[in-house]
């Protein structure tokens, strides 16, 4: 790692004359992709509570279009995917804002208010994550699975590399294509209902009930391969705590009162998940304590880099961030529209007599909490990827913290004007949520940039551009969704109302605090579990010299996220470890390991691209499952397990027998 403010060990950075990076055509292409993907993500997020990752599909689309120009570059393609990645993350603002309509405080989504919330929160997310780059990327061994996958997609499309690299890239491109076709093919069959997209079983346990479920997702197999076994084991520990202990214990009293599946579902969403949120809160605080030193060093290095450039020293292009004085200036400048929005929001409400106190409190809350949230979200993205990070869990923590502070400074106001306080809490949380989503994404993008020798400040500018594009399209899409369907829980909601599950969850948390109905014992239990995991992790690290560890935040995520999402990631991690051990027994193991990474990348790419297409089909057909033309019932479950396992085995076996010799042959003899 090269210290900031100095030239690299190999000498001054070489000028990249003629290599395009931040270009007008790249901005236009990234903007178009962002507008389309953001609209699709807003719809899907409100409909089923899920959004799709946009970085990798954008990288593929960009590579296909820009390679028609002779002067294109990997770095220019990287800028396009950076701009478009805002679509997959900023659209997560829908996890908060619909709550204002659901509780009856808003009757619609005012365009400029909604757009400015998105733009300010997103810009702050970029700014807060800039000093984190050195702490969480250049000075960290976090895996950043999606960042690595996006980088590999860009690399195999590089037709300006040297001859030997191009030979290996051709082999690698074939691996990505086969992996993509396999994951997209299986996913397509699941959309048709020929095979199951997930399987689950519910069963009695310890007087209560629990469940075992897994998504049959080859993309998550790829994510598991990329994150490694350490994170996979930690998530398994979290699953065992939630589904092996907490769920059966908490569901015991409800047994016999209804359908066992519904009991399990309700118990997890209303009780167990909050235990996981408690564990995540403690783990997040501990993670911040552990990385505060590197963060401070990153800020100092950023200042040193700015001073070095001013004094005429040559700083490597790959170490040039937006100067720290500009970062701080933008952060402080963003507090002006933030304060104005908060003022206008509260001024016309029943709690307007608290205007000055609430606005000052919220501005300080956004200013201070922003860095904390950015650091935690960046760390989570580094662990399991931006699209798999439990952003709604961070949302719970933010809503809890802001609601408690607001409740303290307003005294007994909650006894008479609780709805207004809930609305103001959600409005404040929306700004911080924008910080969370974009910082989660920015660090993943900067990891990609690091791997393809991109210029950080250009990526940071590109993401701000993406934030602006996303902010333009989110308000009208939200308004259209409201007018066409409405939201569950709002007055006058019809049978086709959108569930908006995360917004409903965060609204219920705020209501629970101001209505004194939130069960703090559940949250406290999670905090105690988090403390216990931290102690175990520290003991493991000290007794094994850092070779064994149990990341507390990964355990908390395993407790919080649904088992169907997390169970398959450790399976992918095991497959990755087994493959890498096989590769290490052969010559040129580094090349063989890369082929494994490329296969994992292909698995993520295929499913992501098909997800984009499927999103468009859902919007066009206005049906949740427009391709469900076959109903095989329980047969689809068994068939799905068999086909899924066969595809996994077949892909890795193909890699060992057919691709490995070609990867070896593409390298020159020593």
């Amino acid at each position: 790692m090269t210290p900031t403010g100095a030239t690299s060990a190999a000498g001054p950075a070489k000028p990249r004359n003629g290599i395009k990076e931040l270009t007008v055509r790249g901005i236009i292409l990234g903007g178009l992709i962002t507008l389309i993907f953001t609209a699709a993500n807003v719809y899907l997020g409100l409909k089923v509570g899920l959004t799709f990752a946009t970085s990798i599909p954008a990288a593929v689309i960009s590579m296909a279009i820009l390679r028609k120009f002779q002067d294109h570059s990997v770095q220019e393609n990287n800028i396009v995917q950076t701009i478009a990645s805002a679509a997959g993350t900023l659209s997560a603002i829908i996890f908060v804002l619909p709550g204002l309509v659901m509780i009856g405080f808003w009757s619609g989504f005012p365009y400029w208010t909604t757009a400015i919330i998105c733009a300010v929160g997103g810009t702050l997310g970029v700014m807060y994550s800039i000093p984190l780059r050195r702490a969480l990327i250049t000075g960290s061994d976090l895996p950043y699975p999606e960042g690595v996958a996006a980088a590999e997609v860009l690399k195999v499309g590089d037709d300006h590399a040297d001859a030997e690299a191009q030979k290996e890239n051709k082999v690698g491109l074939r691996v990505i294509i086969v992996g993509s076709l396999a994951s997209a093919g299986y996913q397509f069959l699941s959309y048709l209902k020929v095979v199951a997209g997930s399987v689950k079983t519910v069963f009695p346990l310890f007087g209560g009930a629990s469940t075992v479920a897994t998504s049959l997702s080859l993309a998550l197999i790829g994510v598991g391969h990329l994150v490694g076994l350490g994170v996979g084991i930690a998530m398994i520990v979290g699953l065992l705590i939630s589904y092996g202990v907490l769920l059966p214990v908490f569901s015991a009293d409800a047994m016999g009162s209804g359908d066992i599946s519904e009991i399990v579902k309700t118990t997890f969403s209303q009780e167990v998940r909050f235990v996981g949120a408690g564990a995540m809160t403690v783990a997040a605080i501990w993670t911040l304590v552990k990385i505060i030193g590197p963060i401070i060093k990153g800020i100092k290095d950023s200042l040193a880099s700015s001073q070095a450039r001013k004094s005429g020293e040559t700083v490597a292009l790959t170490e040039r961030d937006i100067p720290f004085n500009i970062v701080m200036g933008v952060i402080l400048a963003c507090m002006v529209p933030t304060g104005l929005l908060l003022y206008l929001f509260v001024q016309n409400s029943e709690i307007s007599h608290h205007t000055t106190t609430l606005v000052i409190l919220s501005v300080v809350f956004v200013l201070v909490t922003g860095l904390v949230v950015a650091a935690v979200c960046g760390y989570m993205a580094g662990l399991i990827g931006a699209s798999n990070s439990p952003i709604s869990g961070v949302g719970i923590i933010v809503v809890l913290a802001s609601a408690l502070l607001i409740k303290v400074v307003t005294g007994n106001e909650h006894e008479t004007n609780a709805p207004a306080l809930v609305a103001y809490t959600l409005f404040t949380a929306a700004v911080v949520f924008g910080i969370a989503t974009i910082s989660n994404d920015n660090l993943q993008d900067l990891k990609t940039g690091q791997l393809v020798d991109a210029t950080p400040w250009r990526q940071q500018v590109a993401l701000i551009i993406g934030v602006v594009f996303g902010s333009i399209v989110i308000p009208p899409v939200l308004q259209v969704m409201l007018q066409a369907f409405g939201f569950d829980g709002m007055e006058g909601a019809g049978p086709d109302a959108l569930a908006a599950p995360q917004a409903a969850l965060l609204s219920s948390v705020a209501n629970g605090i101001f209505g004194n109905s939130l069960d703090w014992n559940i949250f406290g239990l999670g905090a105690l579990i988090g403390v216990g995991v931290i102690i175990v992790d520290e003991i493991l690290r000290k007794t094994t010299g850092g070779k064994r560890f149990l990341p507390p935040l990964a355990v908390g995520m395993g407790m919080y996220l649904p088992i169907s999402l997390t169970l398959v990631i450790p399976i992918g991690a095991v497959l990755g470890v087994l493959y890498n051990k096989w590769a290490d027994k052969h010559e040129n193991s580094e090349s063989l390991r890369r082929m494994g990474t490329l296969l994992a990348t292909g698995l993520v790419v295929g499913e992501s691209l098909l997800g984009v297409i499927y999103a468009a089909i859902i919007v066009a057909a206005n049906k949740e499952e427009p391709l469900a033309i076959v109903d095989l019932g329980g047969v689809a479950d068994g068939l799905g397990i068999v086909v899924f396992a066969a595809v996994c085995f077949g892909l890795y076996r193909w890699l060992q027998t057919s691709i490995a010799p070609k990867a070896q042959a593409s390298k020159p003899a020593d």
Side-chain angles (χ1 to χ4, degrees), residues 14 70 91 95 219 225-226 239-240 276 288 300 374 397 449 541 554 651:
K14 295 180 180 179
Q70 281 192 339
S91 56
F95 294 169
H225 182 123
L226 295 170
L239 289 177
L240 291 174
L288 185 65
K300 290 180 178 178
I397 296 170
R541 291 179 186 272
L651 285 172

Side-chain angles (χ1 to χ4, degrees), residues 188-240:
F188 184 68
L189 289 177
S190 73
Y191 291 152
L192 296 176
K193 298 299 181 182
V194 173
V195 297
S198 62
V199 292
K200 71 174 182 178
T201 181
V202 179
F203 50 87
L205 182 66
F206 303 146
S210 188
T211 181
V212 172
T214 183
S215 295
L216 297 178
S217 166
L218 288 166
L220 292 179
I221 290 289
V223 169
H225 182 123
L226 295 170
V227 302
L229 195 58
V231 174
I233 290 174
M235 297 186 78
I236 286 291
V237 171
L239 289 177
L240 291 174

Side-chain angles (χ1 to χ4, degrees), residues 44 191 609-619 623-628:
L44 283 184
Y191 291 152
L609 286 174
L610 187 64
V612 175
I613 296 170
Y614 190 56
I617 295 172
I618 290 175
V619 173
K623 292 173 62 178
E624 286 191 33
E625 297 181 326
L627 299 182

Side-chain angles (χ1 to χ4, degrees), residues 311-356:
S311 63
E313 290 184 40
T314 301
V315 178
L317 286 173
T318 53
E319 286 298 322
R320 296 182 186 177
D321 293 295
I322 294 176
F324 190 70
N325 59 333
I326 295 179
V327 171
M328 286 305 302
V330 173
I331 289 174
L332 294 176
C334 284
M335 293 303 109
V336 176
T338 299
L340 181 60
L341 283 174
L342 292 164
Y343 171 81
L344 294 174
F345 186 89
V346 74
Q347 186 65 24
N348 297 318
S349 70
E350 297 87 344
I351 53 174
S352 58
H353 49 289
H354 291 291
T355 296
T356 302

Side-chain angles (χ1 to χ4, degrees), residues 213-215 220 232 235-236 238-239 243 384 388 554 557-571:
T214 183
S215 295
L220 292 179
M235 297 186 78
I236 286 291
L239 289 177
Y243 289 88
I384 64 170
N388 295 314
M557 287 189 285
M559 293 174 62
Y560 177 84
L561 292 171
I563 188 172
S564 59
L565 177 65
T566 51
L567 185 59
V568 73
I569 293 178
I571 296 173

